[in-house]
Amino acid sequence: MFIIIDENTENIRLDIYLSELYSDISRSKVQSAIKSGKVKINNETKKSSYILKDGDRIEFENLVDEKNLKIEPENIPLNIVWEDENMAVINKPSGMLTHPTPLETSGTLVNALLYKYGPNLSDINGEFRRGIVHRLDRNTSGLLMIAKNNKTHEYLTDMIKNHNLTKKYRAVLKGNYPKNEDIIKEPIGRHKTQPHKMTVTPDGKESTTIIKVLERFTEATYVELTLITGRTHQIRVHTSYKKHPVYNDTLYGAGTGKVKTDEQVLQSYYLKFAKPFSAEIIELEIPPDEKLAKVLTYYRNRRV
């Protein structure tokens, strides 16, 4: 199988990346596989310490039993917000993985896409990511663009890299955010000792998030966030850096709030982009999801 590294998965050691991918295999076994030539980067063997770069193609023999890697189409309902012959925009629910991993090959958005569209999905990023142009974290809900062919995949990828789309999120932040409007410009890179996390770091990539307060509560703030860049965990990292992490985001320091939800209260609710190969502008917006509505209702009722 192969995987294409993008800007959200670069700047991590090869052995650490594969160890995260195959969390039930020891790092020493992964290093042994790399040393024996079972792993290649752009058709070349590399050391375990090789730092992955945007665009790298990792090819490797299966490190777990083949049966665990088969990705089956599954009849999982899809909330299709908009589509044409080249792409679709899906409202991904919270709790669903965007694409399979070697240890979790069912119940993902890709399984549902394979059932709905069959072979009519891009394969630029490999079988594990058929149709997937960009991702949302498992517990982040909302709008996700899907490419039905490779030409459209390349179009959408270029659009994202050149910042030629508008992507907005809704979130509840812990505490009372101090400004009604704010621009966070802090570089984001991989955490040096916890590679599953990202962090604000001087050697990270330029990252910009615009925050606008929508509603204030005693212990929380309802905000709209516009992404100018699209780094991994960007909103979660930037708000945590400002000491107001996303509500219930235990990975980035929010802890568990009084309203229990499956992790972070964060939704990708708005997209504006040019329809592929057309001058038509597509503008999409969805209402707050069940998790966000639950937290907002709790705090609004406390003010009555």
Side-chain angles (χ1 to χ4, degrees), residues 39 47 64 117 119 163 167 196 220 230 246 281:
V39 180
K47 294 182 178 180
V64 296
Y117 297 109
H163 312 305
K167 187 190 304 184
H196 61 290
V246 176
I281 300 299

Side-chain angles (χ1 to χ4, degrees), residues 238-251:
H238 271 169
T239 55
S240 177
Y241 176 78
K242 287 289 188 175
K243 310 301 183 186
H244 293 277
V246 176
Y247 196 85
N248 281 348
D249 188 353
T250 58
L251 183 63

